[in-house]
Amino acid sequence: VIGRKAEIQMARYRLFLAAALLAGCSSDAATIPQPDVTTPGAFVATPYGSLGAAGQTPGQGYGLFRTLDVLPYANTNILAIGTYDVQASTLDEARDIARGADPSLTMTRQFVNQMALPTPFSVVWFRTLTAAEAALGQ
Amino acid sequence: MRYAFLSAALIVLFSSARLHAGPPEDSPEWGPQVMHLPVHERQSEQGILRPIPILVELPASIASRTRRVLVHYRLWGAPEWTTIQLRATALLRYEGAIPCLDVSTVTGDFRYFIHVHDQDEHVIARGASRASPYVVVIKNDALLSSPSAPGKCPDPADCPPGLLGCPSEIVDAPCATDRECDDGWVCGREGVCQRWTEKRTRVVVSMQQDFGIVPTTGACTVPSQETQGYACYRGDGAQYAGTPVLTNEPLGFGPGPTRVVVGVDHLLSNTTGIGVRLGWAVLGRGPTPTEGTAFVPVSASARVTRWFSQDPFARLRPFVFVTGGYSMFDIKTSVHVREDPTATPHQPGNDLDQQLTLWKRAGDAFVGGGGGLSLLFAPGTGAFFDRVFVELGAVQVFPFGATVVSPSVGIEVAP
């Protein structure tokens, strides 16, 4: 009888231990904040040429711009963006370009209404702005 | 097999006139008969204050390789063995005598055994052994079964050294291993037996490479870098000062400082010793952040060592130790950081995801333990050290935490 009680106690202990371990693992479910098109520093891919940037005529693939500043206006936002003179065939390629983008890469500044952004667009990367980049958006 | 037992190669003759006295020839407690060779003469008892002559005849195959023949003897009740060297009196013969003064007036069993050494001081033959020596019973003259031979020491104070029956010059016993030395003696690096008590204190010199394990979750937040000894650097060399998202990251593992360590060990007993170590970090110092605590390359520790052998100077000597002390450990590893895009940026140029170089300046105290193996370096080779060792330590560092493992290799010198 004593052996049986010991077995039950051991089983309870193991169950408690497993529950504690599972509880420890379940705390990983925190939401990781993601950048969006209104986040200064976000790299956004849009259909190439859809923003009408200088020298860009609509074509295949994706163009890339960066959100430099956001100005709330009425019930929307006016975005100060810098358009890169690059063309990517896929979103992954656009992300790779954004990751390796030289901060001194030439950007063309534009102001666009967030509601009028050409679709589809996708935020592919984020990097905090340098002082020069932030000044470009002012 | 290096040793050829003297039982197959050696004949010992005792020159006493009182022959064939004592127990039967196959009795294990008596001397020459245990050689299982024809015994021309032997002596089982001797009067007090009389020398015990010894004559050794070697086979030619042994004699040609013999450098010297040593007799190790011990008086009844005496704690240690004494060694004398026999003189070569002919091509195959060695003669000598256990001095009458050593025989003294103490009655009882007198024990001895014989070692034959070659040019390399290896024992190539032997008669009896320390564990099972020859025995001669020392008796008062009146109790001898036959009249005592002349040659009794008349006055010990007048006995000139070197004469038969007088004190012989005690020579160092050559050896190749500790097993060839008496109890309490060890084979020193000069290739002769030495009291191990004379080698209780030993100096160690070693090279040590630290490796650290550090938690990296939250390591690159500004508070962590300001208060917990972390420093994170981006690929462009700038120290990270962004706003990371608190993500679960694996433990970081990386190299720490490389140190030169010197120390002293002192044996308290055959199996236990205490020691101190001083180290200097010659490589592996990390950068010191602005207003950060400068790296101190000096380390100091104390330890208690336990050997798994009754003979602390055996050829192979495993050991374990516990240690504690002061040291700084700069651990270099890498860490993934996810930038929080919703936070007000404090530093330009931080990517959404980036791999940073992480330095952890752990310290300043540590406790831990480890184990290792000490190996006797071949004695007589002229090396200035006599042991080499490898060890692996594992310590927990606090209050700036890290777990550090430290393999090291070094030498031991008996000053």
PDB file of all heavy atoms in Angstrom, chain B residues 327-351:
ATOM      1  N   SER B 327      37.752  37.680 -10.361  1.00  0.00           N
ATOM      2  CA  SER B 327      38.162  37.758 -11.759  1.00  0.00           C
ATOM      3  C   SER B 327      37.094  38.478 -12.565  1.00  0.00           C
ATOM      4  O   SER B 327      35.920  38.463 -12.217  1.00  0.00           O
ATOM      5  CB  SER B 327      38.371  36.352 -12.338  1.00  0.00           C
ATOM      6  OG  SER B 327      38.853  36.446 -13.660  1.00  0.00           O
ATOM      7  N   MET B 328      37.526  39.110 -13.641  1.00  0.00           N
ATOM      8  CA  MET B 328      36.596  39.651 -14.634  1.00  0.00           C
ATOM      9  C   MET B 328      36.665  38.779 -15.871  1.00  0.00           C
ATOM     10  O   MET B 328      37.750  38.331 -16.269  1.00  0.00           O
ATOM     11  CB  MET B 328      36.955  41.089 -15.006  1.00  0.00           C
ATOM     12  CG  MET B 328      36.466  42.123 -14.019  1.00  0.00           C
ATOM     13  SD  MET B 328      36.700  43.775 -14.694  1.00  0.00           S
ATOM     14  CE  MET B 328      35.988  44.752 -13.394  1.00  0.00           C
ATOM     15  N   PHE B 329      35.521  38.541 -16.471  1.00  0.00           N
ATOM     16  CA  PHE B 329      35.445  37.714 -17.669  1.00  0.00           C
ATOM     17  C   PHE B 329      34.735  38.519 -18.752  1.00  0.00           C
ATOM     18  O   PHE B 329      33.553  38.840 -18.597  1.00  0.00           O
ATOM     19  CB  PHE B 329      34.664  36.430 -17.406  1.00  0.00           C
ATOM     20  CG  PHE B 329      35.246  35.572 -16.310  1.00  0.00           C
ATOM     21  CD1 PHE B 329      34.876  35.771 -14.993  1.00  0.00           C
ATOM     22  CD2 PHE B 329      36.153  34.572 -16.598  1.00  0.00           C
ATOM     23  CE1 PHE B 329      35.398  34.982 -13.980  1.00  0.00           C
ATOM     24  CE2 PHE B 329      36.683  33.783 -15.596  1.00  0.00           C
ATOM     25  CZ  PHE B 329      36.305  33.977 -14.290  1.00  0.00           C
ATOM     26  N   ASP B 330      35.423  38.862 -19.799  1.00  0.00           N
ATOM     27  CA  ASP B 330      34.787  39.501 -20.950  1.00  0.00           C
ATOM     28  C   ASP B 330      34.379  38.400 -21.922  1.00  0.00           C
ATOM     29  O   ASP B 330      35.236  37.783 -22.562  1.00  0.00           O
ATOM     30  CB  ASP B 330      35.750  40.480 -21.624  1.00  0.00           C
ATOM     31  CG  ASP B 330      35.703  41.847 -20.963  1.00  0.00           C
ATOM     32  OD1 ASP B 330      34.956  41.998 -19.983  1.00  0.00           O
ATOM     33  OD2 ASP B 330      36.421  42.753 -21.410  1.00  0.00           O
ATOM     34  N   ILE B 331      33.094  38.171 -22.012  1.00  0.00           N
ATOM     35  CA  ILE B 331      32.577  37.100 -22.871  1.00  0.00           C
ATOM     36  C   ILE B 331      32.055  37.728 -24.160  1.00  0.00           C
ATOM     37  O   ILE B 331      31.246  38.643 -24.127  1.00  0.00           O
ATOM     38  CB  ILE B 331      31.437  36.335 -22.180  1.00  0.00           C
ATOM     39  CG1 ILE B 331      31.854  35.923 -20.761  1.00  0.00           C
ATOM     40  CG2 ILE B 331      31.019  35.140 -23.013  1.00  0.00           C
ATOM     41  CD1 ILE B 331      33.036  35.026 -20.707  1.00  0.00           C
ATOM     42  N   LYS B 332      32.525  37.223 -25.278  1.00  0.00           N
ATOM     43  CA  LYS B 332      32.093  37.757 -26.569  1.00  0.00           C
ATOM     44  C   LYS B 332      31.189  36.750 -27.265  1.00  0.00           C
ATOM     45  O   LYS B 332      31.561  35.588 -27.450  1.00  0.00           O
ATOM     46  CB  LYS B 332      33.309  38.033 -27.457  1.00  0.00           C
ATOM     47  CG  LYS B 332      32.941  38.639 -28.805  1.00  0.00           C
ATOM     48  CD  LYS B 332      34.173  38.818 -29.672  1.00  0.00           C
ATOM     49  CE  LYS B 332      33.814  39.470 -31.002  1.00  0.00           C
ATOM     50  NZ  LYS B 332      34.978  39.602 -31.883  1.00  0.00           N
ATOM     51  N   THR B 333      30.018  37.215 -27.641  1.00  0.00           N
ATOM     52  CA  THR B 333      29.106  36.361 -28.382  1.00  0.00           C
ATOM     53  C   THR B 333      28.280  37.270 -29.299  1.00  0.00           C
ATOM     54  O   THR B 333      28.640  38.430 -29.501  1.00  0.00           O
ATOM     55  CB  THR B 333      28.211  35.546 -27.417  1.00  0.00           C
ATOM     56  OG1 THR B 333      27.372  34.672 -28.156  1.00  0.00           O
ATOM     57  CG2 THR B 333      27.364  36.465 -26.552  1.00  0.00           C
ATOM     58  N   SER B 334      27.227  36.766 -29.857  1.00  0.00           N
ATOM     59  CA  SER B 334      26.376  37.603 -30.710  1.00  0.00           C
ATOM     60  C   SER B 334      24.926  37.433 -30.276  1.00  0.00           C
ATOM     61  O   SER B 334      24.575  36.440 -29.634  1.00  0.00           O
ATOM     62  CB  SER B 334      26.542  37.224 -32.184  1.00  0.00           C
ATOM     63  OG  SER B 334      26.081  35.917 -32.405  1.00  0.00           O
ATOM     64  N   VAL B 335      24.125  38.396 -30.630  1.00  0.00           N
ATOM     65  CA  VAL B 335      22.730  38.360 -30.192  1.00  0.00           C
ATOM     66  C   VAL B 335      21.856  38.978 -31.278  1.00  0.00           C
ATOM     67  O   VAL B 335      22.265  39.910 -31.979  1.00  0.00           O
ATOM     68  CB  VAL B 335      22.575  39.118 -28.855  1.00  0.00           C
ATOM     69  CG1 VAL B 335      22.963  40.573 -28.999  1.00  0.00           C
ATOM     70  CG2 VAL B 335      21.162  38.983 -28.311  1.00  0.00           C
ATOM     71  N   HIS B 336      20.677  38.417 -31.407  1.00  0.00           N
ATOM     72  CA  HIS B 336      19.702  38.969 -32.348  1.00  0.00           C
ATOM     73  C   HIS B 336      18.856  40.013 -31.623  1.00  0.00           C
ATOM     74  O   HIS B 336      18.432  39.794 -30.481  1.00  0.00           O
ATOM     75  CB  HIS B 336      18.802  37.850 -32.884  1.00  0.00           C
ATOM     76  CG  HIS B 336      17.552  38.353 -33.526  1.00  0.00           C
ATOM     77  ND1 HIS B 336      16.319  38.332 -32.899  1.00  0.00           N
ATOM     78  CD2 HIS B 336      17.340  38.927 -34.744  1.00  0.00           C
ATOM     79  CE1 HIS B 336      15.412  38.844 -33.698  1.00  0.00           C
ATOM     80  NE2 HIS B 336      15.996  39.214 -34.823  1.00  0.00           N
ATOM     81  N   VAL B 337      18.657  41.136 -32.298  1.00  0.00           N
ATOM     82  CA  VAL B 337      17.851  42.210 -31.707  1.00  0.00           C
ATOM     83  C   VAL B 337      16.762  42.603 -32.697  1.00  0.00           C
ATOM     84  O   VAL B 337      17.017  42.810 -33.880  1.00  0.00           O
ATOM     85  CB  VAL B 337      18.735  43.433 -31.359  1.00  0.00           C
ATOM     86  CG1 VAL B 337      17.861  44.640 -31.046  1.00  0.00           C
ATOM     87  CG2 VAL B 337      19.626  43.120 -30.177  1.00  0.00           C
ATOM     88  N   ARG B 338      15.570  42.692 -32.178  1.00  0.00           N
ATOM     89  CA  ARG B 338      14.425  43.145 -32.983  1.00  0.00           C
ATOM     90  C   ARG B 338      14.071  44.562 -32.535  1.00  0.00           C
ATOM     91  O   ARG B 338      13.759  44.795 -31.364  1.00  0.00           O
ATOM     92  CB  ARG B 338      13.242  42.201 -32.739  1.00  0.00           C
ATOM     93  CG  ARG B 338      11.918  42.668 -33.306  1.00  0.00           C
ATOM     94  CD  ARG B 338      11.745  42.260 -34.748  1.00  0.00           C
ATOM     95  NE  ARG B 338      10.425  42.641 -35.247  1.00  0.00           N
ATOM     96  CZ  ARG B 338       9.959  42.268 -36.423  1.00  0.00           C
ATOM     97  NH1 ARG B 338      10.690  41.482 -37.200  1.00  0.00           N
ATOM     98  NH2 ARG B 338       8.776  42.653 -36.841  1.00  0.00           N
ATOM     99  N   GLU B 339      14.153  45.476 -33.475  1.00  0.00           N
ATOM    100  CA  GLU B 339      13.890  46.870 -33.121  1.00  0.00           C
ATOM    101  C   GLU B 339      12.379  47.112 -32.996  1.00  0.00           C
ATOM    102  O   GLU B 339      11.579  46.559 -33.769  1.00  0.00           O
ATOM    103  CB  GLU B 339      14.462  47.802 -34.209  1.00  0.00           C
ATOM    104  CG  GLU B 339      14.526  49.248 -33.821  1.00  0.00           C
ATOM    105  CD  GLU B 339      15.585  49.515 -32.753  1.00  0.00           C
ATOM    106  OE1 GLU B 339      16.465  48.658 -32.555  1.00  0.00           O
ATOM    107  OE2 GLU B 339      15.502  50.574 -32.102  1.00  0.00           O
ATOM    108  N   ASP B 340      12.017  47.897 -32.007  1.00  0.00           N
ATOM    109  CA  ASP B 340      10.602  48.248 -31.835  1.00  0.00           C
ATOM    110  C   ASP B 340      10.285  49.460 -32.703  1.00  0.00           C
ATOM    111  O   ASP B 340      10.709  50.583 -32.391  1.00  0.00           O
ATOM    112  CB  ASP B 340      10.338  48.575 -30.363  1.00  0.00           C
ATOM    113  CG  ASP B 340       8.863  48.854 -30.097  1.00  0.00           C
ATOM    114  OD1 ASP B 340       8.071  48.879 -31.069  1.00  0.00           O
ATOM    115  OD2 ASP B 340       8.508  49.035 -28.921  1.00  0.00           O
ATOM    116  N   PRO B 341       9.546  49.274 -33.817  1.00  0.00           N
ATOM    117  CA  PRO B 341       9.312  50.401 -34.731  1.00  0.00           C
ATOM    118  C   PRO B 341       8.311  51.409 -34.177  1.00  0.00           C
ATOM    119  O   PRO B 341       8.195  52.512 -34.705  1.00  0.00           O
ATOM    120  CB  PRO B 341       8.770  49.715 -35.992  1.00  0.00           C
ATOM    121  CG  PRO B 341       8.168  48.457 -35.494  1.00  0.00           C
ATOM    122  CD  PRO B 341       8.939  48.030 -34.286  1.00  0.00           C
ATOM    123  N   THR B 342       7.601  51.015 -33.120  1.00  0.00           N
ATOM    124  CA  THR B 342       6.597  51.927 -32.572  1.00  0.00           C
ATOM    125  C   THR B 342       7.179  52.863 -31.521  1.00  0.00           C
ATOM    126  O   THR B 342       6.492  53.785 -31.075  1.00  0.00           O
ATOM    127  CB  THR B 342       5.449  51.122 -31.940  1.00  0.00           C
ATOM    128  OG1 THR B 342       5.960  50.350 -30.854  1.00  0.00           O
ATOM    129  CG2 THR B 342       4.818  50.185 -32.958  1.00  0.00           C
ATOM    130  N   ALA B 343       8.403  52.582 -31.100  1.00  0.00           N
ATOM    131  CA  ALA B 343       9.015  53.427 -30.077  1.00  0.00           C
ATOM    132  C   ALA B 343       9.697  54.631 -30.723  1.00  0.00           C
ATOM    133  O   ALA B 343      10.096  54.587 -31.879  1.00  0.00           O
ATOM    134  CB  ALA B 343      10.041  52.619 -29.289  1.00  0.00           C
ATOM    135  N   THR B 344       9.787  55.676 -29.929  1.00  0.00           N
ATOM    136  CA  THR B 344      10.508  56.856 -30.414  1.00  0.00           C
ATOM    137  C   THR B 344      11.979  56.480 -30.584  1.00  0.00           C
ATOM    138  O   THR B 344      12.615  56.014 -29.634  1.00  0.00           O
ATOM    139  CB  THR B 344      10.389  58.003 -29.397  1.00  0.00           C
ATOM    140  OG1 THR B 344       9.012  58.291 -29.200  1.00  0.00           O
ATOM    141  CG2 THR B 344      11.115  59.240 -29.896  1.00  0.00           C
ATOM    142  N   PRO B 345      12.502  56.637 -31.795  1.00  0.00           N
ATOM    143  CA  PRO B 345      13.883  56.184 -32.018  1.00  0.00           C
ATOM    144  C   PRO B 345      14.901  57.073 -31.293  1.00  0.00           C
ATOM    145  O   PRO B 345      14.765  58.286 -31.271  1.00  0.00           O
ATOM    146  CB  PRO B 345      14.037  56.285 -33.537  1.00  0.00           C
ATOM    147  CG  PRO B 345      13.017  57.277 -33.976  1.00  0.00           C
ATOM    148  CD  PRO B 345      11.879  57.173 -33.017  1.00  0.00           C
ATOM    149  N   HIS B 346      15.861  56.387 -30.664  1.00  0.00           N
ATOM    150  CA  HIS B 346      16.933  57.124 -29.981  1.00  0.00           C
ATOM    151  C   HIS B 346      18.248  57.062 -30.742  1.00  0.00           C
ATOM    152  O   HIS B 346      19.189  57.760 -30.394  1.00  0.00           O
ATOM    153  CB  HIS B 346      17.156  56.551 -28.579  1.00  0.00           C
ATOM    154  CG  HIS B 346      15.942  56.642 -27.709  1.00  0.00           C
ATOM    155  ND1 HIS B 346      15.420  57.839 -27.275  1.00  0.00           N
ATOM    156  CD2 HIS B 346      15.113  55.684 -27.200  1.00  0.00           C
ATOM    157  CE1 HIS B 346      14.351  57.625 -26.530  1.00  0.00           C
ATOM    158  NE2 HIS B 346      14.145  56.314 -26.468  1.00  0.00           N
ATOM    159  N   GLN B 347      18.290  56.205 -31.724  1.00  0.00           N
ATOM    160  CA  GLN B 347      19.554  56.030 -32.449  1.00  0.00           C
ATOM    161  C   GLN B 347      19.229  55.741 -33.907  1.00  0.00           C
ATOM    162  O   GLN B 347      18.424  54.846 -34.202  1.00  0.00           O
ATOM    163  CB  GLN B 347      20.346  54.858 -31.850  1.00  0.00           C
ATOM    164  CG  GLN B 347      21.710  54.651 -32.496  1.00  0.00           C
ATOM    165  CD  GLN B 347      22.440  53.468 -31.886  1.00  0.00           C
ATOM    166  OE1 GLN B 347      21.833  52.475 -31.516  1.00  0.00           O
ATOM    167  NE2 GLN B 347      23.761  53.593 -31.796  1.00  0.00           N
ATOM    168  N   PRO B 348      19.824  56.471 -34.823  1.00  0.00           N
ATOM    169  CA  PRO B 348      19.557  56.213 -36.246  1.00  0.00           C
ATOM    170  C   PRO B 348      20.243  54.948 -36.728  1.00  0.00           C
ATOM    171  O   PRO B 348      21.235  54.497 -36.150  1.00  0.00           O
ATOM    172  CB  PRO B 348      20.133  57.448 -36.935  1.00  0.00           C
ATOM    173  CG  PRO B 348      21.198  57.928 -36.018  1.00  0.00           C
ATOM    174  CD  PRO B 348      20.728  57.614 -34.639  1.00  0.00           C
ATOM    175  N   GLY B 349      19.677  54.407 -37.778  1.00  0.00           N
ATOM    176  CA  GLY B 349      20.358  53.316 -38.475  1.00  0.00           C
ATOM    177  C   GLY B 349      20.161  51.947 -37.874  1.00  0.00           C
ATOM    178  O   GLY B 349      20.912  51.028 -38.193  1.00  0.00           O
ATOM    179  N   ASN B 350      19.157  51.775 -37.005  1.00  0.00           N
ATOM    180  CA  ASN B 350      18.904  50.452 -36.450  1.00  0.00           C
ATOM    181  C   ASN B 350      17.883  49.713 -37.297  1.00  0.00           C
ATOM    182  O   ASN B 350      16.724  50.127 -37.421  1.00  0.00           O
ATOM    183  CB  ASN B 350      18.404  50.559 -35.004  1.00  0.00           C
ATOM    184  CG  ASN B 350      19.516  50.902 -34.044  1.00  0.00           C
ATOM    185  OD1 ASN B 350      20.632  50.394 -34.193  1.00  0.00           O
ATOM    186  ND2 ASN B 350      19.242  51.764 -33.078  1.00  0.00           N
ATOM    187  N   ASP B 351      18.304  48.595 -37.855  1.00  0.00           N
ATOM    188  CA  ASP B 351      17.422  47.793 -38.695  1.00  0.00           C
ATOM    189  C   ASP B 351      16.363  47.108 -37.852  1.00  0.00           C
ATOM    190  O   ASP B 351      16.513  46.942 -36.628  1.00  0.00           O
ATOM    191  CB  ASP B 351      18.234  46.748 -39.448  1.00  0.00           C
ATOM    192  CG  ASP B 351      18.887  47.329 -40.685  1.00  0.00           C
ATOM    193  OD1 ASP B 351      18.139  47.730 -41.592  1.00  0.00           O
ATOM    194  OD2 ASP B 351      20.131  47.400 -40.720  1.00  0.00           O
TER     195      ASP B 351
END
